[in-house]
Amino acid sequence: MANLRAVVTGASSGIGRATVTALRDAGWDVVGVARREDRLRELEAETGASVVVADLTKQADVDALRDHLAATGPVHALVNNAGGAKGLDSVEASSIDDWAWMFEVNVLALKRVTSALLPLLRRGAVERGVADIVNITSIAGHVAYAGGGGYNAAKFAAHALTEVLRLELNGEPLRVIEVAPGMVKTDEFALVRFGGDRARADAVYDDVPEPLTAEDIAGVVADAVRKPRHVDLDLIVVKPVAQAAPYRLAKGRLAVRSDEEG
């Protein structure tokens, strides 16, 4: 059998870029998908991955991606990583345009790509014995927090979509895996959320001991798709030790409590 092939969306930065690297290091052929061609070309040069420039909010781009992949072989894993957050305002005050953008990139793009590539994943499953759909969601899709209304709603929807998909694909050799990260410090997530305000974005991570890195999540994804074919890691919640919930973060050095404190 030829090398296993994975498709990773949102591949130009952060968790997507790290996942492409991790899968390449594990010996997979990888197709990285994103909007920014310059970033993708850098990724291609650094990792040897193939790349496709596509805006997953546009059906024509998703169709073109599907056709390109169909012409070049089966797909053994799809990592739906593209997504993002905008704003931290209340439900009352938040921008409806921000909500629409979050639903488009976190939910509708996920549906578009999954629907388009499922026939190719079925081909991959025949060849390999199993194929994987890995949806990168968030703990924000499981626990609500003040100011998270639009992002919570979008990620709760992505979680629900994942659960329904698993039910609908039951009986086929297709694993549906959800990875729900907590706080991950990347170059762009908070920056996008706060409209390019670097100081506000950096403040999110101030004094938080060892937030997760993109590489931490990429390692989880690479491990999940390499499990024996009868093993399905349905839901993997990954948080830094300093984070008990989206709204509860330890600040400063982690330290064991004394007997008197505890």
Side-chain angles (χ1 to χ4, degrees):
M1 187 176 72
N3 282 353
L4 300 177
R5 186 166 70 150
V7 176
V8 179
T9 69
S12 61
S13 65
I15 293 170
R17 185 183 184 92
T19 299
V20 171
T21 300
L23 290 172
R24 289 291 296 146
D25 288 346
W28 287 61
D29 292 335
V30 183
V31 181
V33 182
R35 291 179 296 106
R36 293 177 291 186
E37 184 172 5
D38 57 338
R39 295 286 190 92
L40 288 178
R41 295 306 172 196
E42 291 173 5
L43 180 66
E44 183 179 41
E46 290 173 9
T47 66
S50 302
V51 297
V52 173
V53 179
D55 181 345
L56 303 182
T57 68
K58 297 178 179 177
Q59 189 62 48
D61 281 19
V62 175
D63 292 344
L65 170 65
R66 176 203 60 209
D67 294 345
H68 167 78
L69 294 169
T72 52
V75 176
H76 304 97
L78 166 62
V79 182
N80 283 308
N81 166 73
K86 282 193 177 182
L88 200 61
D89 295 323
S90 68
V91 171
E92 179 182 14
S94 53
S95 162
I96 196 69
D97 291 337
D98 288 349
W99 281 57
W101 181 86
M102 285 186 278
F103 269 80
E104 193 68 58
V105 300
N106 291 290
V107 185
L108 301 184
L110 170 59
K111 182 267 188 288
R112 282 192 185 95
V113 175
T114 302
S115 293
L117 299 196
L118 259 170
L120 305 184
L121 287 159
R122 289 187 172 104
R123 283 174 53 190
V126 169
E127 183 180 83
R128 180 190 175 202
V130 71
D132 296 296
I133 300 168
V134 183
N135 292 339
I136 308 296
T137 62
S138 170
I139 60 171
H142 297 262
V143 180
Y145 57 92
Y151 189 57
N152 282 144
K155 287 302 188 183
F156 266 82
H159 166 63
L161 182 157
T162 304
E163 292 273 289
V164 171
L165 186 64
R166 190 178 296 115
L167 294 172
E168 292 174 347
L169 297 180
N170 182 243
E172 298 188 67
L174 298 168
R175 299 186 293 201
V176 180
I177 300 162
E178 179 181 355
V179 179
M183 175 177 275
V184 183
K185 186 175 183 180
T186 63
D187 290 337
E188 296 190 355
F189 179 84
L191 194 63
V192 171
R193 182 166 216 169
F194 296 120
D197 186 334
R198 173 59 70 182
R200 194 176 178 195
D202 289 346
V204 171
Y205 309 103
D206 281 352
D207 211 24
V208 177
E210 296 186 280
L212 297 174
T213 67
E215 288 72 23
D216 292 328
I217 306 305
V220 170
V221 173
D223 178 65
V225 300
R226 291 184 293 166
K227 291 296 185 190
R229 65 186 184 183
H230 67 287
V231 177
D232 185 1
L233 300 181
D234 277 9
L235 171 62
I236 310 165
V237 177
V238 192
K239 301 195 298 277
V241 175
Q243 185 174 38
Y247 48 80
R248 187 168 181 84
L249 281 164
K251 296 295 186 80
R253 186 176 66 88
L254 299 178
V256 175
R257 292 180 182 142
S258 66
D259 290 341
E260 292 78 10
E261 293 175 305

